[in-house]
Amino acid sequence: MPSSFADAESVMHRAIELAALGEGYVEPNPMVGAVLVDDSLNLIGEGHHEHFGGPHAEISAIDRAGARANGATLFVTLEPCCHQGKTGPCTKAIIDAGIRRVVIGMSDPAPHIDGGGIAALEAAGIEVEVGLLKDRARRLAAPFVKLFTTGNPYVIAKWAMTLDGKIAARTGASRWISNEASRRVVHKLRGRMDAILIGARTASVDDPLLTPRPAGQRTPTRVVLDSRAALSLDSQLVRTRDQSPVIVVASTAADAGNVHRLEQASVEVLQFAGDETATRAAQQIPGPARRPGLAQLLDELGRRQMTNVLVEGGGQLLGALFDAELVDEVHAFIAPSVVGGQNAVEPVAGIGLAEIPRLPTLLSPEIEILDGDVYIHGPIRRETHGET
């Protein structure tokens, strides 16, 4: 913990660092960090939102500063709330503490805030600055923003592939492409998810467990897109349904006996119009129209306040999501091995783009080396698809 800071950006960097400590604990609330400093940028209090329903970052920082908060400057990654929720409004606590100035990373686009916190502070005579390190603040808040502005969870695509871009050999064999270090990262990633999504073929061929090991901050619901509701009762997913919930997403045309069999086994079955796994006649239809159940599923997961959803395959499912522009972030693990074969499985199928994107698909990706595997992860650059 630093005792003082060189400049304002260093203070906001610390607030962002603190905010990230809440990852996996605070959702569907946003991760938020707050730092209080005096006029010489000496630290007098800091805090972060530690768990859903708990004190907000601003309150924790004010409590730690005590009387020293009077006349101080507050740096906070997200606009302070101005409403009564599970906790009281942070704006009132800031005003009551006598804080003179508030520096905010980004405004809160949620409908119940949307500039109201800034307005309340300014009305009380507090100097407010917005936008310091806003890109980093926005990246931190992206899952929260997605859920509260669209009603849909933040979708993270993950895959492990060989150097020549294959996620399985021509026989379907895929264990193990990535090394143990990469798999540890995947388990950590799973541990902060609300749901993990796979297709029927992946469920059948790989028989995955899809649980974080060791257990993480959250217990993700395992979701299988299986149009026929044919998931085996002997699968690891069904056999461990008491440890972590399982949802099968089926077509409305699925066999009623299959649906009943799964429901009797305490597997939830959601049925949507459209075949979630069909790809034959649908190959010439644009992605968003081809798989209506994907959009319906994301709507349903959003209604359940699921903030982060990890998609672990297979290639047809990932392709459909990319075709429909439903992926928000990518985590790819590249092993230094070559499997070859024109019939080997690729990570992203679907229709694909007609041209090579003008800009990289990932925005400011991070690249790490994990005992020889290359780990690339970052949010999707929406400008690639004509957005600003």
Side-chain angles (χ1 to χ4, degrees):
M1 179 192 305
S3 59
S4 62
F5 301 91
D7 51 36
E9 285 196 358
S10 299
V11 185
M12 188 61 80
H13 273 294
R14 175 59 179 171
I16 290 170
E17 181 180 72
L18 289 166
L21 297 176
E23 188 173 61
Y25 297 101
V26 303
E27 294 84 356
N29 282 353
M31 295 177 279
V32 181
V35 178
L36 274 165
V37 295
D38 62 20
D39 289 343
S40 299
L41 299 185
N42 294 310
L43 176 68
I44 57 176
E46 64 178 25
H48 70 282
H49 187 29
E50 297 183 17
H51 59 87
F52 180 71
H56 288 188
E58 301 93 319
I59 305 302
S60 295
I62 290 170
D63 286 347
R64 289 187 173 95
R68 292 180 298 167
N70 185 49
T73 296
L74 172 69
F75 287 76
V76 61
T77 57
L78 185 69
E79 176 182 358
C81 67
C82 55
H83 69 291
Q84 178 68 48
K86 289 185 177 294
T87 61
C90 290
T91 50
K92 183 178 185 302
I94 292 168
I95 295 166
D96 291 347
I99 291 170
R100 176 181 59 83
R101 180 169 174 259
V102 177
V103 181
I104 299 169
M106 65 170 285
S107 58
D108 189 338
H112 58 285
I113 306 294
D114 196 23
I118 294 170
L121 295 175
E122 290 179 333
I126 295 174
E127 180 186 346
V128 178
E129 176 188 336
V130 183
L132 182 63
L133 298 185
K134 63 181 179 181
D135 289 342
R136 289 198 60 192
R138 284 173 179 167
R139 184 161 176 172
L140 190 71
F144 163 77
V145 171
K146 173 83 178 292
L147 181 63
F148 275 84
T149 58
T150 71
N152 281 185
Y154 191 76
V155 177
I156 300 171
K158 168 263 166 185
W159 65 82
M161 67 182 185
T162 59
L163 195 60
D164 55 335
K166 310 297 184 182
I167 62 172
R170 57 181 173 79
T171 60
S174 62
R175 295 185 179 178
W176 293 100
I177 290 177
S178 58
N179 62 29
E180 289 187 12
S182 293
R183 295 198 293 275
R184 283 195 296 270
V185 172
V186 171
H187 281 291
K188 186 175 181 180
L189 185 62
R190 286 177 179 174
R192 63 178 181 85
M193 294 293 117
D194 293 300
I196 299 174
L197 177 62
I198 61 171
R201 177 173 171 78
T202 298
S204 175
V205 173
D206 293 349
D207 189 24
L209 193 55
L210 300 182
T211 55
R213 300 183 293 279
Q217 305 95 307
R218 308 179 87 77
T219 300
T221 296
R222 285 87 55 86
V223 183
V224 183
L225 290 174
D226 181 357
S227 63
R228 297 184 297 116
L231 180 67
S232 171
L233 297 185
D234 292 325
S235 67
Q236 290 197 91
L237 292 171
V238 177
R239 286 190 283 111
T240 59
R241 61 196 177 278
D242 292 336
Q243 300 174 27
S244 177
V246 178
I247 297 175
V248 167
V249 182
S251 165
T252 51
D255 181 82
N258 284 351
V259 173
H260 179 72
R261 172 182 59 88
L262 288 170
E263 290 178 336
Q264 287 295 105
S266 300
V267 172
E268 182 180 2
V269 179
L270 299 176
Q271 291 183 269
F272 299 127
D275 186 340
E276 290 296 339
T277 56
T279 58
R280 294 183 297 276
Q283 283 297 329
Q284 302 306 313
I285 302 174
R290 193 172 86 225
R291 293 174 179 253
L294 282 175
Q296 291 171 286
L297 172 61
L298 293 178
D299 285 343
E300 176 59 27
L301 297 182
R303 279 192 290 272
R304 299 184 186 199
Q305 293 288 279
M306 292 189 177
T307 307
N308 292 287
V309 172
L310 180 66
V311 184
E312 294 209 24
Q316 294 294 339
L317 172 56
L318 285 168
L321 286 163
F322 273 100
D323 285 346
E325 298 186 349
L326 294 174
V327 176
D328 299 296
E329 186 171 309
V330 168
H331 289 248
F333 300 83
I334 306 170
S337 55
V338 174
V339 67
Q342 62 180 4
N343 294 323
V345 185
E346 298 177 340
V348 181
I351 297 172
L353 301 177
E355 299 177 353
I356 302 298
R358 180 177 57 85
L359 296 172
T361 300
L362 299 191
L363 178 64
S364 302
E366 297 181 38
I367 302 174
E368 304 174 43
I369 305 299
L370 303 174
D371 290 349
D373 285 359
V374 179
Y375 173 35
I376 303 175
H377 55 104
I380 294 290
R381 181 191 294 274
R382 288 303 176 194
E383 295 92 330
T384 300
H385 307 295
E387 299 180 16
T388 57

